[in-house]
Amino acid sequence: MKNTIGLFGLGVMGGNLAKNMVNKGEQVAVYNYTPDLTEKFISEFPNEHVEAHYELENFVQSLERPRKIFLMVTAGPVVDSVIQSLIPLLEKGDIIMDGGNSNFQDSNRRYHELRNTGIHFISVGVSGGEEGALHGPALMPSGDFEAYEQVAPILEKIAAQVDGKPCCSYLGSEGSGHYVKMVHNGIEYADMQLITEAYVFLREKLGLTLKELSEVFKSWNESELKSYLIEITGNIFDHVDPETNLPTIDIILDKAGQKGTGKWTSQNALDIGVPSSIITESVFARYLSAIKDERVHAETILSGPQINDEALSKEEWINLVKEALFMGKICTYAQGFYQYKQASIQYGWSLHLDEIALLFRGGCIIRADFLNMISDVFKEDPNLTNLLLAPYFQEKATNYQSSLRKVTIKGMENGLSLPCFCAALSFYDGYRTAKSGANLIQAQRDYFGAHTYERVDKEGIFHTKWE
């Protein structure tokens, strides 16, 4: 009996995906460049539905035709190297799927290169971490639809399930699946930073204890803020380090790491000309956190504002922070989905924003209840230009903008760094303002560089002799 799918790459994610496939009834061949990981996997997961291979040719030949190979290897040159080693062993119609965090431009290139050989390439965004990989991730596949149809029964089976539907759907051609995953990660960066800023305000300004913070976030998780990130944040504040018996949050060094996908989202936003400012600020916030030694030194030299000791009602301010956080999330998702829309137009992908929102409801890190509303909004009006213009989100923004203003102003008055709260407010105010100051920028550009400008009173391109 031939294996139904091959899994190449047995790191934590690859190993868990292989187990997921087996648990869902697939006959899986596994292979890793270094035999030790293959041996370790088989020793820890002995199963009649897993076949270990230590020679690449045997691995490939063990698969039923058309062969389906799922790569879970390090993004970048490694993917290209693996693909090149596979090509001589494959036939026309075989399918290679890349489930790593590859740059979508690399996936575009690989798609076209393999298409010329008759081999199908499917880029698969995978979200949910190691737990998602094992129990059901959100999957974002793209490539040729005829190839997707052949792997769909497997992918949709191993994906997270919400309301009886898999969090897996064909997105479009080329590397659009990895693009959707990339912007998903950008949204994730911003979402995490907004939650962090809410935490900083509640702890530093309101003086909430960790017990109180845990209770607040757990109560928020029963509201419109209900999401995976809010849920785990409440749990984090409860956790005690067994070695020191101190709260775990207080022994973690405040230097945030990253793997680059947030940066890619910001870079692409600049490339296609969309204002994803909240996502970009969240990336910069991680860069700023990384220069810990400089910040420690700067604290001894640079002064902040006089602390405003105005008495604050905890209950009132907790609610304001909650509303400010939700407002920030709305603006973040508005930016992220606007980036999807513009990328779809510029790259010719025909992305369906309502389906993308549904993909994120289960398995992935940004899963949240209000994704259902985002899906409904774009399903009702696929031509909607911006999430903020939908009646539901327009009403929320109208009601919660004052909370975002109050929290942002109060935080700034007290010297708190709230870059994403500030960016969300600036984006909202900039987006709702019909007449901006950009006419001065155009005047300046025309003055020093003869870059020309448009006029408000007639059509055409104009230049003024300023001197």
Side-chain angles (χ1 to χ4, degrees), residues 440-454 460-466:
L440 176 57
I441 293 173
Q442 283 303 97
Q444 292 169 332
R445 294 179 73 243
D446 190 59
Y447 193 114
F448 64 69
H451 292 296
T452 72
Y453 55 84
E454 296 176 85
I461 302 297
F462 301 88
H463 167 61
T464 291
K465 294 186 181 300
W466 296 93

Side-chain angles (χ1 to χ4, degrees), residues 264-278:
W264 293 348
T265 306
S266 296
Q267 289 173 329
N268 178 256
L270 292 169
D271 289 340
I272 66 176
V274 299
S276 296
S277 54
I278 310 171

